[in-house]
Amino acid sequence: MSTLSLILRQVVNGLQSGSIYALVALGYSMVYGIIMLLNFAHGDIIMVGAYAAWFCLCGFAGNPILAIIAAIFVCVLLGVSIEKVAYAPLRQSPRLSLLITAIGVSYLLENLAQLLFGAGAKSMPSFMPTSTISIGSIDVSWTAIITLIVTAISMAALTLLVKKSKMGKAMRAVPQDKDASTLVGINVNKIITLTFAIGSALAAIAGVLLCSTYHTLMPTTGSMPGIKAFTAAVFGGIGSIPGALLGGLLLGIIEILGKAYVSMELGDALVFAVLIIVLLVKPTGLLGKPMREKV
């Protein structure tokens, strides 16, 4: 295989990983855009969705479609419950209180998963064909193709929802001025709940795609992808939906190329080096816009 073919293959692998980061980063960006919360529990919703799918496949010998639907349902229910129980009572509190609560919810989910399913790794059955297809001089797995397609469809559907629907207009209005939104008849609490539900559904899909790629599931499965997705959201411009997609894809490519051509051990370090550089050079991210703080 030629050098160019090897590089292209690594780029495809990077796009596959980056697509998963992008799906999770969309949830980070949406929640931050609505209530200015860095929801660090969002990464663990990936893990919960993956366990829900695994439980349906192995516990009830269910088919993959039902397992995916179950994962989405469980994650949406969990995300909405977390918002109502943990975040809504603190909505008027300092942001630091919300941030600490989010970290606490993250550890709670990880430890509950460990108590319920054990600390050992579970083997996730494949949701997709294991064969590959040839595109030019490289072989691409169906898992990579389906991951890219699902991400593209999710991004398009979310963009249409936000830009064209009445609910999407309300989602764009609430971050601008919650009081004015209430005065024109927008139910702010409903919009916030909807945002958490959509973000959690995307995290469930990301969890299924992640475990379909690596076939291993643990209570800490969502920790590192969640942190990398947060990095992708900041890289692209947190609060920006196109920025989350762009940041996720670029970060996936940087990670895979770094592991392939720099050092396997330093791959993760390169990802976080990107975060530091972005915060130093362009704190708003690639597509982010400066936000004025009301006083």
Side-chain angles (χ1 to χ4, degrees):
M1 186 178 289
S2 67
T3 302
L4 179 59
S5 296
L6 286 171
I7 293 175
L8 289 175
R9 187 170 185 177
Q10 296 299 337
V11 169
V12 171
N13 292 336
L15 290 173
Q16 180 181 358
S17 298
S19 296
I20 296 172
Y21 298 154
L23 286 173
V24 185
L26 286 169
Y28 275 113
S29 288
M30 290 177 64
V31 170
Y32 184 82
I34 293 288
I35 59 173
M36 305 292 288
L37 166 66
L38 295 175
N39 182 21
F40 283 114
H42 192 64
D44 292 289
I45 295 179
I46 302 173
M47 172 267 297
V48 173
Y51 267 115
W54 170 83
F55 190 72
C56 286
L57 283 175
C58 299
F60 296 100
N63 65 58
I65 302 298
L66 291 178
I68 294 170
I69 293 173
I72 293 173
F73 175 79
V74 169
C75 285
V76 168
L77 184 62
L78 176 64
V80 171
S81 299
I82 290 172
E83 191 276 325
K84 294 295 185 184
V85 174
Y87 300 149
L90 299 174
R91 203 170 289 163
Q92 304 302 322
S93 302
R95 292 183 195 172
L96 183 60
S97 299
L98 281 166
L99 181 62
I100 294 171
T101 301
I103 295 172
V105 172
S106 173
Y107 283 116
L108 175 64
L109 293 176
E110 288 181 16
N111 283 277
L112 284 177
Q114 186 171 335
L115 286 172
L116 291 173
F117 302 105
K122 309 293 184 185
S123 178
M124 173 68 83
S126 178
F127 283 79
M128 306 174 195
T130 56
S131 57
T132 61
I133 62 172
S134 296
I135 300 177
S137 59
I138 61 173
D139 293 330
V140 181
S141 69
W142 275 107
T143 303
I145 293 172
I146 293 173
T147 298
L148 292 171
I149 291 173
V150 169
T151 301
I153 292 173
S154 300
M155 179 66 188
L158 186 59
T159 301
L160 286 174
L161 173 69
V162 172
K163 297 293 185 183
K164 301 297 183 182
S165 70
K166 184 178 180 181
M167 191 66 70
K169 292 177 182 178
M171 291 173 69
R172 284 183 284 141
V174 169
Q176 302 299 319
D177 194 318
K178 290 184 176 63
D179 293 332
S181 299
T182 302
L183 290 175
V184 298
I186 295 174
N187 188 329
V188 173
N189 291 328
K190 182 179 178 180
I191 295 301
I192 293 173
T193 300
L194 177 66
T195 302
F196 272 86
I198 294 173
S200 299
L202 293 173
I205 296 170
V208 171
L209 293 173
L210 179 68
C211 291
S212 295
T213 302
Y214 298 107
H215 304 291
T216 302
L217 178 58
M218 299 175 64
T220 56
T221 290
S223 297
M224 187 57 72
I227 294 173
K228 290 178 181 177
F230 166 70
T231 304
V234 175
F235 186 22
I238 194 161
S240 168
I241 292 176
L245 178 66
L246 179 62
L249 295 179
L250 289 178
L251 204 70
I253 293 172
I254 291 169
E255 178 188 11
I256 294 298
L257 291 179
K259 288 182 177 180
Y261 297 105
V262 179
S263 169
M264 181 65 72
E265 290 76 16
L266 293 178
D268 290 341
L270 287 173
V271 170
F272 300 119
V274 169
L275 175 61
I276 295 171
I277 293 170
V278 169
L279 290 175
L280 289 174
V281 177
K282 198 175 188 298
T284 57
L286 296 177
L287 301 181
K289 297 178 181 179
M291 297 183 67
R292 294 182 178 179
E293 191 79 18
K294 292 184 179 181
V295 294

PDB file of all heavy atoms in Angstrom, residues 230-261:
ATOM      1  N   PHE A 230     -15.848  17.571  24.393  1.00  0.00           N
ATOM      2  CA  PHE A 230     -15.835  18.928  24.942  1.00  0.00           C
ATOM      3  C   PHE A 230     -14.730  19.753  24.286  1.00  0.00           C
ATOM      4  O   PHE A 230     -14.927  20.916  23.922  1.00  0.00           O
ATOM      5  CB  PHE A 230     -15.637  18.877  26.456  1.00  0.00           C
ATOM      6  CG  PHE A 230     -15.285  20.199  27.073  1.00  0.00           C
ATOM      7  CD1 PHE A 230     -16.224  21.217  27.138  1.00  0.00           C
ATOM      8  CD2 PHE A 230     -14.008  20.433  27.563  1.00  0.00           C
ATOM      9  CE1 PHE A 230     -15.903  22.447  27.696  1.00  0.00           C
ATOM     10  CE2 PHE A 230     -13.680  21.658  28.114  1.00  0.00           C
ATOM     11  CZ  PHE A 230     -14.629  22.663  28.177  1.00  0.00           C
ATOM     12  N   THR A 231     -13.561  19.126  24.113  1.00  0.00           N
ATOM     13  CA  THR A 231     -12.456  19.797  23.423  1.00  0.00           C
ATOM     14  C   THR A 231     -12.861  20.172  22.001  1.00  0.00           C
ATOM     15  O   THR A 231     -12.560  21.267  21.515  1.00  0.00           O
ATOM     16  CB  THR A 231     -11.215  18.895  23.397  1.00  0.00           C
ATOM     17  OG1 THR A 231     -10.866  18.520  24.727  1.00  0.00           O
ATOM     18  CG2 THR A 231     -10.030  19.591  22.749  1.00  0.00           C
ATOM     19  N   ALA A 232     -13.562  19.258  21.327  1.00  0.00           N
ATOM     20  CA  ALA A 232     -14.029  19.537  19.961  1.00  0.00           C
ATOM     21  C   ALA A 232     -15.013  20.692  19.944  1.00  0.00           C
ATOM     22  O   ALA A 232     -14.978  21.534  19.035  1.00  0.00           O
ATOM     23  CB  ALA A 232     -14.684  18.277  19.382  1.00  0.00           C
ATOM     24  N   ALA A 233     -15.896  20.750  20.950  1.00  0.00           N
ATOM     25  CA  ALA A 233     -16.869  21.844  21.012  1.00  0.00           C
ATOM     26  C   ALA A 233     -16.169  23.188  21.197  1.00  0.00           C
ATOM     27  O   ALA A 233     -16.521  24.185  20.560  1.00  0.00           O
ATOM     28  CB  ALA A 233     -17.858  21.601  22.156  1.00  0.00           C
ATOM     29  N   VAL A 234     -15.145  23.219  22.061  1.00  0.00           N
ATOM     30  CA  VAL A 234     -14.385  24.456  22.270  1.00  0.00           C
ATOM     31  C   VAL A 234     -13.583  24.794  21.022  1.00  0.00           C
ATOM     32  O   VAL A 234     -13.485  25.961  20.621  1.00  0.00           O
ATOM     33  CB  VAL A 234     -13.459  24.308  23.491  1.00  0.00           C
ATOM     34  CG1 VAL A 234     -12.562  25.542  23.653  1.00  0.00           C
ATOM     35  CG2 VAL A 234     -14.277  24.097  24.764  1.00  0.00           C
ATOM     36  N   PHE A 235     -13.001  23.779  20.393  1.00  0.00           N
ATOM     37  CA  PHE A 235     -12.206  23.965  19.185  1.00  0.00           C
ATOM     38  C   PHE A 235     -13.048  24.588  18.068  1.00  0.00           C
ATOM     39  O   PHE A 235     -12.643  25.551  17.406  1.00  0.00           O
ATOM     40  CB  PHE A 235     -11.647  22.607  18.741  1.00  0.00           C
ATOM     41  CG  PHE A 235     -10.690  22.663  17.581  1.00  0.00           C
ATOM     42  CD1 PHE A 235     -10.005  23.826  17.255  1.00  0.00           C
ATOM     43  CD2 PHE A 235     -10.471  21.538  16.809  1.00  0.00           C
ATOM     44  CE1 PHE A 235      -9.115  23.869  16.193  1.00  0.00           C
ATOM     45  CE2 PHE A 235      -9.593  21.565  15.743  1.00  0.00           C
ATOM     46  CZ  PHE A 235      -8.909  22.740  15.434  1.00  0.00           C
ATOM     47  N   GLY A 236     -14.236  24.059  17.866  1.00  0.00           N
ATOM     48  CA  GLY A 236     -15.096  24.577  16.809  1.00  0.00           C
ATOM     49  C   GLY A 236     -15.814  25.856  17.182  1.00  0.00           C
ATOM     50  O   GLY A 236     -16.225  26.620  16.311  1.00  0.00           O
ATOM     51  N   GLY A 237     -15.962  26.099  18.473  1.00  0.00           N
ATOM     52  CA  GLY A 237     -16.703  27.281  18.937  1.00  0.00           C
ATOM     53  C   GLY A 237     -17.909  26.830  19.726  1.00  0.00           C
ATOM     54  O   GLY A 237     -18.950  26.535  19.137  1.00  0.00           O
ATOM     55  N   ILE A 238     -17.765  26.741  21.043  1.00  0.00           N
ATOM     56  CA  ILE A 238     -18.851  26.191  21.856  1.00  0.00           C
ATOM     57  C   ILE A 238     -20.079  27.088  21.757  1.00  0.00           C
ATOM     58  O   ILE A 238     -19.987  28.313  21.801  1.00  0.00           O
ATOM     59  CB  ILE A 238     -18.387  26.007  23.315  1.00  0.00           C
ATOM     60  CG1 ILE A 238     -19.383  25.135  24.082  1.00  0.00           C
ATOM     61  CG2 ILE A 238     -18.165  27.334  24.004  1.00  0.00           C
ATOM     62  CD1 ILE A 238     -18.829  24.535  25.349  1.00  0.00           C
ATOM     63  N   GLY A 239     -21.222  26.451  21.577  1.00  0.00           N
ATOM     64  CA  GLY A 239     -22.461  27.168  21.314  1.00  0.00           C
ATOM     65  C   GLY A 239     -22.819  27.194  19.845  1.00  0.00           C
ATOM     66  O   GLY A 239     -23.934  27.552  19.482  1.00  0.00           O
ATOM     67  N   SER A 240     -21.880  26.793  18.972  1.00  0.00           N
ATOM     68  CA  SER A 240     -22.111  26.774  17.529  1.00  0.00           C
ATOM     69  C   SER A 240     -22.318  25.340  17.062  1.00  0.00           C
ATOM     70  O   SER A 240     -21.457  24.482  17.285  1.00  0.00           O
ATOM     71  CB  SER A 240     -20.923  27.398  16.797  1.00  0.00           C
ATOM     72  OG  SER A 240     -20.982  27.149  15.409  1.00  0.00           O
ATOM     73  N   ILE A 241     -23.449  25.061  16.407  1.00  0.00           N
ATOM     74  CA  ILE A 241     -23.717  23.715  15.917  1.00  0.00           C
ATOM     75  C   ILE A 241     -22.770  23.336  14.779  1.00  0.00           C
ATOM     76  O   ILE A 241     -22.157  22.258  14.811  1.00  0.00           O
ATOM     77  CB  ILE A 241     -25.196  23.585  15.487  1.00  0.00           C
ATOM     78  CG1 ILE A 241     -26.091  23.676  16.730  1.00  0.00           C
ATOM     79  CG2 ILE A 241     -25.447  22.277  14.750  1.00  0.00           C
ATOM     80  CD1 ILE A 241     -27.570  23.662  16.439  1.00  0.00           C
ATOM     81  N   PRO A 242     -22.577  24.183  13.751  1.00  0.00           N
ATOM     82  CA  PRO A 242     -21.572  23.838  12.720  1.00  0.00           C
ATOM     83  C   PRO A 242     -20.169  23.743  13.316  1.00  0.00           C
ATOM     84  O   PRO A 242     -19.357  22.922  12.872  1.00  0.00           O
ATOM     85  CB  PRO A 242     -21.672  24.992  11.717  1.00  0.00           C
ATOM     86  CG  PRO A 242     -23.000  25.610  11.956  1.00  0.00           C
ATOM     87  CD  PRO A 242     -23.282  25.430  13.411  1.00  0.00           C
ATOM     88  N   GLY A 243     -19.885  24.558  14.326  1.00  0.00           N
ATOM     89  CA  GLY A 243     -18.580  24.503  14.967  1.00  0.00           C
ATOM     90  C   GLY A 243     -18.330  23.173  15.654  1.00  0.00           C
ATOM     91  O   GLY A 243     -17.209  22.648  15.633  1.00  0.00           O
ATOM     92  N   ALA A 244     -19.367  22.600  16.279  1.00  0.00           N
ATOM     93  CA  ALA A 244     -19.225  21.301  16.935  1.00  0.00           C
ATOM     94  C   ALA A 244     -18.876  20.223  15.921  1.00  0.00           C
ATOM     95  O   ALA A 244     -18.016  19.362  16.172  1.00  0.00           O
ATOM     96  CB  ALA A 244     -20.518  20.942  17.665  1.00  0.00           C
ATOM     97  N   LEU A 245     -19.530  20.270  14.754  1.00  0.00           N
ATOM     98  CA  LEU A 245     -19.236  19.289  13.701  1.00  0.00           C
ATOM     99  C   LEU A 245     -17.814  19.468  13.186  1.00  0.00           C
ATOM    100  O   LEU A 245     -17.049  18.500  13.095  1.00  0.00           O
ATOM    101  CB  LEU A 245     -20.240  19.436  12.557  1.00  0.00           C
ATOM    102  CG  LEU A 245     -20.011  18.505  11.361  1.00  0.00           C
ATOM    103  CD1 LEU A 245     -20.221  17.057  11.756  1.00  0.00           C
ATOM    104  CD2 LEU A 245     -20.938  18.875  10.206  1.00  0.00           C
ATOM    105  N   LEU A 246     -17.456  20.693  12.863  1.00  0.00           N
ATOM    106  CA  LEU A 246     -16.115  20.965  12.337  1.00  0.00           C
ATOM    107  C   LEU A 246     -15.042  20.612  13.360  1.00  0.00           C
ATOM    108  O   LEU A 246     -14.033  19.965  13.020  1.00  0.00           O
ATOM    109  CB  LEU A 246     -16.006  22.437  11.944  1.00  0.00           C
ATOM    110  CG  LEU A 246     -14.645  22.906  11.397  1.00  0.00           C
ATOM    111  CD1 LEU A 246     -14.304  22.164  10.116  1.00  0.00           C
ATOM    112  CD2 LEU A 246     -14.646  24.408  11.172  1.00  0.00           C
ATOM    113  N   GLY A 247     -15.253  21.008  14.604  1.00  0.00           N
ATOM    114  CA  GLY A 247     -14.275  20.704  15.644  1.00  0.00           C
ATOM    115  C   GLY A 247     -14.112  19.218  15.864  1.00  0.00           C
ATOM    116  O   GLY A 247     -12.986  18.727  16.026  1.00  0.00           O
ATOM    117  N   GLY A 248     -15.214  18.477  15.856  1.00  0.00           N
ATOM    118  CA  GLY A 248     -15.140  17.031  16.049  1.00  0.00           C
ATOM    119  C   GLY A 248     -14.372  16.339  14.938  1.00  0.00           C
ATOM    120  O   GLY A 248     -13.500  15.496  15.189  1.00  0.00           O
ATOM    121  N   LEU A 249     -14.679  16.683  13.691  1.00  0.00           N
ATOM    122  CA  LEU A 249     -14.006  16.041  12.555  1.00  0.00           C
ATOM    123  C   LEU A 249     -12.514  16.367  12.535  1.00  0.00           C
ATOM    124  O   LEU A 249     -11.675  15.475  12.336  1.00  0.00           O
ATOM    125  CB  LEU A 249     -14.668  16.481  11.242  1.00  0.00           C
ATOM    126  CG  LEU A 249     -16.116  16.040  11.039  1.00  0.00           C
ATOM    127  CD1 LEU A 249     -16.657  16.573   9.722  1.00  0.00           C
ATOM    128  CD2 LEU A 249     -16.243  14.519  11.079  1.00  0.00           C
ATOM    129  N   LEU A 250     -12.182  17.648  12.749  1.00  0.00           N
ATOM    130  CA  LEU A 250     -10.765  18.031  12.742  1.00  0.00           C
ATOM    131  C   LEU A 250     -10.013  17.380  13.895  1.00  0.00           C
ATOM    132  O   LEU A 250      -8.877  16.915  13.723  1.00  0.00           O
ATOM    133  CB  LEU A 250     -10.637  19.550  12.822  1.00  0.00           C
ATOM    134  CG  LEU A 250     -11.052  20.335  11.579  1.00  0.00           C
ATOM    135  CD1 LEU A 250     -10.925  21.843  11.831  1.00  0.00           C
ATOM    136  CD2 LEU A 250     -10.212  19.938  10.372  1.00  0.00           C
ATOM    137  N   LEU A 251     -10.638  17.324  15.053  1.00  0.00           N
ATOM    138  CA  LEU A 251      -9.974  16.732  16.213  1.00  0.00           C
ATOM    139  C   LEU A 251      -9.749  15.235  16.004  1.00  0.00           C
ATOM    140  O   LEU A 251      -8.695  14.703  16.383  1.00  0.00           O
ATOM    141  CB  LEU A 251     -10.812  16.964  17.464  1.00  0.00           C
ATOM    142  CG  LEU A 251     -10.035  16.934  18.780  1.00  0.00           C
ATOM    143  CD1 LEU A 251      -9.133  18.157  18.869  1.00  0.00           C
ATOM    144  CD2 LEU A 251     -10.986  16.913  19.965  1.00  0.00           C
ATOM    145  N   GLY A 252     -10.726  14.548  15.392  1.00  0.00           N
ATOM    146  CA  GLY A 252     -10.561  13.128  15.102  1.00  0.00           C
ATOM    147  C   GLY A 252      -9.396  12.880  14.168  1.00  0.00           C
ATOM    148  O   GLY A 252      -8.599  11.948  14.368  1.00  0.00           O
ATOM    149  N   ILE A 253      -9.265  13.702  13.132  1.00  0.00           N
ATOM    150  CA  ILE A 253      -8.157  13.548  12.183  1.00  0.00           C
ATOM    151  C   ILE A 253      -6.824  13.830  12.863  1.00  0.00           C
ATOM    152  O   ILE A 253      -5.842  13.087  12.680  1.00  0.00           O
ATOM    153  CB  ILE A 253      -8.362  14.492  10.971  1.00  0.00           C
ATOM    154  CG1 ILE A 253      -9.578  14.041  10.161  1.00  0.00           C
ATOM    155  CG2 ILE A 253      -7.116  14.518  10.089  1.00  0.00           C
ATOM    156  CD1 ILE A 253      -9.970  15.006   9.067  1.00  0.00           C
ATOM    157  N   ILE A 254      -6.764  14.901  13.672  1.00  0.00           N
ATOM    158  CA  ILE A 254      -5.524  15.226  14.384  1.00  0.00           C
ATOM    159  C   ILE A 254      -5.120  14.082  15.308  1.00  0.00           C
ATOM    160  O   ILE A 254      -3.938  13.697  15.375  1.00  0.00           O
ATOM    161  CB  ILE A 254      -5.704  16.530  15.187  1.00  0.00           C
ATOM    162  CG1 ILE A 254      -5.833  17.725  14.236  1.00  0.00           C
ATOM    163  CG2 ILE A 254      -4.535  16.738  16.148  1.00  0.00           C
ATOM    164  CD1 ILE A 254      -6.262  19.007  14.921  1.00  0.00           C
ATOM    165  N   GLU A 255      -6.087  13.516  16.024  1.00  0.00           N
ATOM    166  CA  GLU A 255      -5.792  12.426  16.959  1.00  0.00           C
ATOM    167  C   GLU A 255      -5.242  11.202  16.232  1.00  0.00           C
ATOM    168  O   GLU A 255      -4.205  10.649  16.627  1.00  0.00           O
ATOM    169  CB  GLU A 255      -7.054  12.050  17.729  1.00  0.00           C
ATOM    170  CG  GLU A 255      -6.852  10.896  18.697  1.00  0.00           C
ATOM    171  CD  GLU A 255      -8.140  10.416  19.314  1.00  0.00           C
ATOM    172  OE1 GLU A 255      -9.223  10.828  18.852  1.00  0.00           O
ATOM    173  OE2 GLU A 255      -8.080   9.602  20.249  1.00  0.00           O
ATOM    174  N   ILE A 256      -5.917  10.770  15.173  1.00  0.00           N
ATOM    175  CA  ILE A 256      -5.503   9.554  14.475  1.00  0.00           C
ATOM    176  C   ILE A 256      -4.156   9.749  13.776  1.00  0.00           C
ATOM    177  O   ILE A 256      -3.273   8.875  13.844  1.00  0.00           O
ATOM    178  CB  ILE A 256      -6.582   9.133  13.458  1.00  0.00           C
ATOM    179  CG1 ILE A 256      -7.862   8.729  14.189  1.00  0.00           C
ATOM    180  CG2 ILE A 256      -6.078   7.974  12.596  1.00  0.00           C
ATOM    181  CD1 ILE A 256      -7.721   7.547  15.112  1.00  0.00           C
ATOM    182  N   LEU A 257      -3.966  10.883  13.104  1.00  0.00           N
ATOM    183  CA  LEU A 257      -2.690  11.135  12.446  1.00  0.00           C
ATOM    184  C   LEU A 257      -1.561  11.262  13.468  1.00  0.00           C
ATOM    185  O   LEU A 257      -0.434  10.819  13.221  1.00  0.00           O
ATOM    186  CB  LEU A 257      -2.769  12.402  11.590  1.00  0.00           C
ATOM    187  CG  LEU A 257      -3.650  12.322  10.339  1.00  0.00           C
ATOM    188  CD1 LEU A 257      -3.659  13.662   9.603  1.00  0.00           C
ATOM    189  CD2 LEU A 257      -3.176  11.212   9.400  1.00  0.00           C
ATOM    190  N   GLY A 258      -1.862  11.864  14.614  1.00  0.00           N
ATOM    191  CA  GLY A 258      -0.858  11.965  15.669  1.00  0.00           C
ATOM    192  C   GLY A 258      -0.437  10.597  16.182  1.00  0.00           C
ATOM    193  O   GLY A 258       0.754  10.336  16.387  1.00  0.00           O
ATOM    194  N   LYS A 259      -1.420   9.722  16.406  1.00  0.00           N
ATOM    195  CA  LYS A 259      -1.101   8.371  16.883  1.00  0.00           C
ATOM    196  C   LYS A 259      -0.345   7.565  15.826  1.00  0.00           C
ATOM    197  O   LYS A 259       0.523   6.752  16.145  1.00  0.00           O
ATOM    198  CB  LYS A 259      -2.385   7.639  17.274  1.00  0.00           C
ATOM    199  CG  LYS A 259      -3.019   8.146  18.565  1.00  0.00           C
ATOM    200  CD  LYS A 259      -4.259   7.355  18.923  1.00  0.00           C
ATOM    201  CE  LYS A 259      -4.845   7.832  20.253  1.00  0.00           C
ATOM    202  NZ  LYS A 259      -6.064   7.076  20.617  1.00  0.00           N
ATOM    203  N   ALA A 260      -0.671   7.791  14.552  1.00  0.00           N
ATOM    204  CA  ALA A 260      -0.063   7.008  13.480  1.00  0.00           C
ATOM    205  C   ALA A 260       1.351   7.479  13.144  1.00  0.00           C
ATOM    206  O   ALA A 260       2.225   6.661  12.858  1.00  0.00           O
ATOM    207  CB  ALA A 260      -0.939   7.061  12.236  1.00  0.00           C
ATOM    208  N   TYR A 261       1.579   8.790  13.179  1.00  0.00           N
ATOM    209  CA  TYR A 261       2.838   9.317  12.655  1.00  0.00           C
ATOM    210  C   TYR A 261       3.684  10.064  13.677  1.00  0.00           C
ATOM    211  O   TYR A 261       4.811  10.444  13.370  1.00  0.00           O
ATOM    212  CB  TYR A 261       2.550  10.245  11.460  1.00  0.00           C
ATOM    213  CG  TYR A 261       1.900   9.513  10.311  1.00  0.00           C
ATOM    214  CD1 TYR A 261       0.540   9.677  10.039  1.00  0.00           C
ATOM    215  CD2 TYR A 261       2.626   8.655   9.517  1.00  0.00           C
ATOM    216  CE1 TYR A 261      -0.067   8.994   8.994  1.00  0.00           C
ATOM    217  CE2 TYR A 261       2.039   7.973   8.468  1.00  0.00           C
ATOM    218  CZ  TYR A 261       0.693   8.141   8.213  1.00  0.00           C
ATOM    219  OH  TYR A 261       0.103   7.457   7.178  1.00  0.00           O
TER     220      TYR A 261
END
